[in-house]
Amino acid sequence: MSPDSRAKTLNFNVGVLGHVDSGKTSLARALSSTASTAAFDKNPQSRERGITLDLGFSSFTVDCPDHLRDSGGQQPYDSLQFTLVDCPGHASLIRTIIGGAQIIDLMMLVVDVVKGVQTQTAECLLIGELTCPRMVVVLNKIDLLPPNKRQSAIEKMTKRLHKTLESTRFKECPVIAVAAKPGGPEAPETEEPQGVPALIELLKQQTYLPKRDAKGDLLMAVDHCFSIRGQGTVMTGTILQGSLAINDTVEIPVLKVTKKIKSVQMFRKPVSGAMQGDRVGVCVTQFDPKLLERGLVCTPGSLRTLYAAIISTRKIGYFKGSLATRAKFHITVGHETVMAKVTFFGLPPADTKPTPSEPSSLETPFTFEREYSYQDEYVSRQKEAALGPDPEQWALLEFERPVTCPALCLVIGSKLDTDIHANACRLAFQGRLLHGFEDKSYAETSLPQLRIFKTKHKEGQVERVTDDYSVIGRSLFKKETNLQLFVGLKVTLSTGESGVIEGGFGQSGKFKIRIQEGLRPETKQLLSSKKKGKSGSKGGPASEEEPKTESQPVGIHLHFKRYVFDPHKKMVQS
């Protein structure tokens, strides 16, 4: 098949998502005529349990609808191929869905008409919001409704769904009712699916020309790998960006190997090449398929393996927990999910611009030149209604094992270890990868350049005056503190004077402060009256019978900041 004739078919990727047992695989099967190698669950474990454990792919081709026919540039498309990406619905497999959702043009959310929206349905909806622009809701299993009440039950569920979708980007999206496998999985194959032709028409109406670009480095998400005797190893997957052709050299970055493409197929038909959005099988030689079940293939040298990364962050509204610094989250990035320790940071209070009421995209680009404020947790304004979107924030992710991913890719943080039966959303935050650390010893080489600071405030008291220009302070440091670290730092007295710490005094953590401008007369007065008030006890607290002469103690305030990743732990004052 020549590339010219291939160009007339538009490939459109439809993600089939939904709760476990909502009938996604039956629906994909009912829709499909040509199933690719990865379709309908080859996994023996999922056959046994009757659920999909991995992304399944299948396709069917229809005549190109009029609204797309003239969109193919110089050469109009004459057919439209729907590639169905059947994402697993089992709760613990959400990481697979996120990996698959990044290649989807339209989402088909399958809802069991009897059970309605369940926790995983809501999670699928969220993933859809983060990763694709359009959605169709399919109410499945209408054969389970009694015929006389069927129409009213469908209408009721449709109304309920539109209410659920009101606050999402999919409000007013089409809802259609079908029975993909009347009688359930055990029913004989002779039972005709109901409503499928109408669904195909609806899908055709919902298609648009996805942005496809053959330029740039190749990035292909491989979801299946197997060998064909006498030919070599075939990797099937979807091209996320760029293009490939026979005889190109590609890299499998996770294994650090390069291979030459021997042949290319699209749904069992040989082609000379393929581009972004296409679903292909690529044959290479002398490669053991067991080494790569799923992963990324790219132009040699174009992907990076990261030990840590900086991302922009936005909390996902439905996540109920707090996002705490130093906590561990499951991070899905590129095609991998890996545990990472998270450190949240934001703009220093002075730099936080008031946010317009309209939620904006992130405006402040991340740069190592700027200073950032350390946060114990992500700052969310959800509780304080009407305050607009959350302030701009970033996170440092430190991965438990290195990950291979493209620049600026989508990142999703989740708590996948939450009980799957708990009625709670496990997707916690989302963002974009802004900077990656490729050096294994990034903590020593690169992190010190990341200027995230904590502000510290210590308070003590003036114990006594030694002369007009110096006082002795106490209660600012512990006995064991190395006071040398604090010599030269500025302090202010609660009476207004400022001074500098000159060094320790004695062994108990007391210290000497030099007041350059000299003490004010009223401060000396205050400190000497304090002294009189205490004369009853030797350096101990004043006795309770003398409240008249006792006055407010003179406080000492020490403010400084410390950079979290500074190996010398220096204290800095502006």
Side-chain angles (χ1 to χ4, degrees):
M1 192 177 189
S2 76
D4 299 342
S5 58
R6 185 186 65 79
K8 289 184 178 178
T9 300
L10 172 66
N11 183 52
F12 196 80
N13 295 318
V14 176
V16 190
L17 287 91
H19 194 85
V20 63
D21 282 341
S22 57
K24 295 181 303 300
T25 306
S26 309
L27 183 63
R29 199 174 262 129
L31 282 166
S32 292
S33 53
T34 315
S36 89
T37 47
F40 309 136
D41 242 349
K42 295 274 183 288
N43 192 316
Q45 192 191 348
S46 53
R47 280 232 196 92
E48 228 163 81
R49 291 164 57 191
I51 59 168
T52 303
L53 285 176
D54 214 332
L55 294 179
F57 291 86
S58 55
S59 79
F60 63 96
T61 304
V62 295
D63 284 340
C64 195
D66 290 342
H67 70 279
L68 292 180
R69 197 174 281 282
D70 306 324
S71 321
Q74 297 82 22
Q75 190 173 16
Y77 292 112
D78 55 8
S79 60
L80 168 66
Q81 171 177 274
F82 284 105
T83 294
L84 300 175
V85 185
D86 179 15
C87 300
H90 195 280
S92 60
L93 298 165
I94 203 159
R95 66 197 75 194
T96 316
I97 303 183
I98 300 170
Q102 301 185 42
I103 54 180
I104 288 172
D105 300 317
L106 177 137
M107 180 162 115
M108 199 155 59
L109 184 66
V110 186
V111 177
D112 180 326
V113 71
V114 181
K115 295 178 181 162
V117 171
Q118 299 168 81
T119 309
Q120 296 153 37
T121 322
E123 287 179 340
C124 291
L125 189 57
L126 275 173
I127 292 166
E129 277 213 273
L130 298 177
T131 54
C132 82
R134 283 195 194 182
M135 185 171 82
V136 167
V137 178
V138 181
L139 292 178
N140 193 16
K141 305 193 180 181
I142 55 168
D143 56 303
L144 299 181
L145 300 169
N148 57 338
K149 295 184 184 160
R150 189 170 295 173
Q151 200 45 43
S152 66
I154 290 169
E155 281 164 21
K156 203 164 150 193
M157 186 60 79
T158 303
K159 211 174 249 168
R160 199 183 299 169
L161 275 159
H162 276 140
K163 193 155 182 54
T164 304
L165 297 172
E166 235 168 30
S167 57
T168 73
R169 63 150 63 166
F170 303 126
K171 62 169 184 268
E172 291 169 18
C173 84
V175 177
I176 188 168
V178 305
K181 185 85 172 68
E186 305 308 314
E189 294 298 329
T190 49
E191 282 281 333
E192 275 293 304
Q194 298 165 21
V196 171
L199 172 58
I200 290 174
E201 281 312 308
L202 176 62
L203 289 175
K204 280 165 73 172
Q205 287 163 27
Q206 292 297 312
T207 53
Y208 56 93
L209 201 65
K211 272 180 78 175
R212 306 288 198 223
D213 187 1
K215 294 194 291 291
D217 291 323
L218 167 75
L219 181 63
M220 173 176 161
V222 172
D223 44 67
H224 202 58
C225 210
F226 56 94
S227 59
I228 295 178
R229 185 171 292 176
Q231 287 189 38
T233 294
V234 174
M235 302 182 283
T236 63
T238 304
I239 301 176
L240 304 182
Q241 67 179 47
S243 58
L244 56 77
I246 293 171
N247 293 329
D248 281 359
T249 298
V250 293
E251 180 186 9
I252 303 161
V254 65
L255 303 172
K256 306 239 182 306
V257 299
T258 54
K259 292 283 162 200
K260 198 172 191 176
I261 297 177
K262 206 176 133 185
S263 64
V264 183
Q265 282 199 357
M266 281 171 63
F267 288 100
R268 304 206 175 95
K269 292 179 183 152
V271 292
S272 59
M275 64 179 273
Q276 184 185 47
D278 285 335
R279 172 112 193 110
V280 292
V282 171
C283 183
V284 297
T285 51
Q286 290 160 347
F287 177 63
D288 178 358
K290 290 193 192 74
L291 296 175
L292 184 80
E293 175 53 30
R294 59 179 332 120
L296 294 168
V297 168
C298 64
T299 299
S302 64
L303 277 196
R304 304 150 67 204
T305 297
L306 307 180
Y307 291 87
I310 287 163
I311 64 163
S312 60
T313 51
R314 275 280 175 268
K315 184 173 181 177
I316 287 172
Y318 299 96
F319 184 75
K320 292 289 178 275
S322 66
L323 305 179
T325 282
R326 309 199 72 74
K328 288 192 171 174
F329 288 87
H330 290 89
I331 302 296
T332 301
V333 52
H335 233 56
E336 298 188 62
T337 297
V338 57
M339 290 296 278
K341 185 177 80 182
V342 180
T343 303
F344 292 100
F345 58 96
L347 294 172
D351 296 7
T352 350
K353 300 186 287 290
T355 327
S357 56
E358 192 60 39
S360 63
S361 57
L362 297 181
E363 288 165 12
T364 317
F366 169 79
T367 153
F368 280 96
E369 275 65 72
R370 184 181 276 113
E371 291 203 338
Y372 297 94
S373 173
Y374 174 89
Q375 295 174 185
D376 288 316
E377 62 177 28
Y378 177 91
V379 177
S380 177
R381 288 184 177 153
Q382 275 171 346
K383 296 178 188 81
E384 319 154 35
L387 268 180
D390 295 345
E392 231 170 314
Q393 289 159 84
W394 294 267
L396 167 70
L397 307 178
E398 300 185 68
F399 302 120
E400 286 193 350
R401 61 174 174 78
V403 295
T404 301
C405 58
L408 284 174
C409 63
L410 176 72
V411 180
I412 295 178
S414 352
K415 279 278 184 198
L416 298 180
D417 38 11
T418 311
D419 175 17
I420 62 169
H421 303 296
N423 189 17
C425 172
R426 290 160 308 152
L427 305 183
F429 60 87
Q430 54 124 332
R432 290 261 158 212
L433 191 134
L434 303 176
H435 182 87
F437 298 98
E438 296 179 63
D439 183 354
K440 197 173 186 173
S441 46
Y442 68 92
E444 292 82 48
T445 56
S446 306
L447 282 192
Q449 295 156 27
L450 182 57
R451 297 190 300 159
I452 300 176
F453 64 83
K454 285 183 181 182
T455 46
K456 300 279 189 180
H457 178 212
K458 286 178 173 286
E459 289 188 16
Q461 285 166 7
V462 173
E463 181 165 276
R464 59 188 174 85
V465 179
T466 46
D467 58 45
D468 287 353
Y469 291 93
S470 45
V471 296
I472 302 299
R474 63 181 165 88
S475 308
L476 196 64
F477 306 111
K478 294 194 179 92
K479 193 173 159 186
E480 62 275 12
T481 304
N482 175 5
L483 283 174
Q484 270 318 103
L485 296 172
F486 294 87
V487 170
L489 289 187
K490 287 184 251 169
V491 293
T492 49
L493 303 189
S494 56
T495 46
E497 295 92 335
S498 50
V500 171
I501 296 175
E502 282 199 322
F505 183 82
Q507 299 302 307
S508 58
K510 292 179 187 174
F511 52 96
K512 195 171 178 186
I513 295 174
R514 177 91 182 141
I515 312 286
Q516 295 95 322
E517 307 287 316
L519 288 164
R520 296 174 186 165
E522 53 270 37
T523 306
K524 285 193 287 190
Q525 176 82 34
L526 197 60
L527 288 163
S528 57
S529 70
K530 212 169 147 275
K531 214 167 174 183
K532 281 182 202 136
K534 287 188 176 187
S535 58
S537 59
K538 270 191 172 170
S543 69
E544 285 175 28
E545 290 88 60
E546 305 179 72
K548 288 172 199 147
T549 50
E550 179 60 284
S551 58
Q552 279 297 94
V554 175
I556 301 168
H557 298 277
L558 168 62
H559 290 274
F560 60 91
K561 57 187 181 189
R562 214 178 223 160
Y563 293 104
V564 178
F565 300 113
D566 173 14
H568 310 298
K569 301 274 179 270
K570 278 207 302 279
M571 283 154 284
V572 182
Q573 289 180 317
S574 46

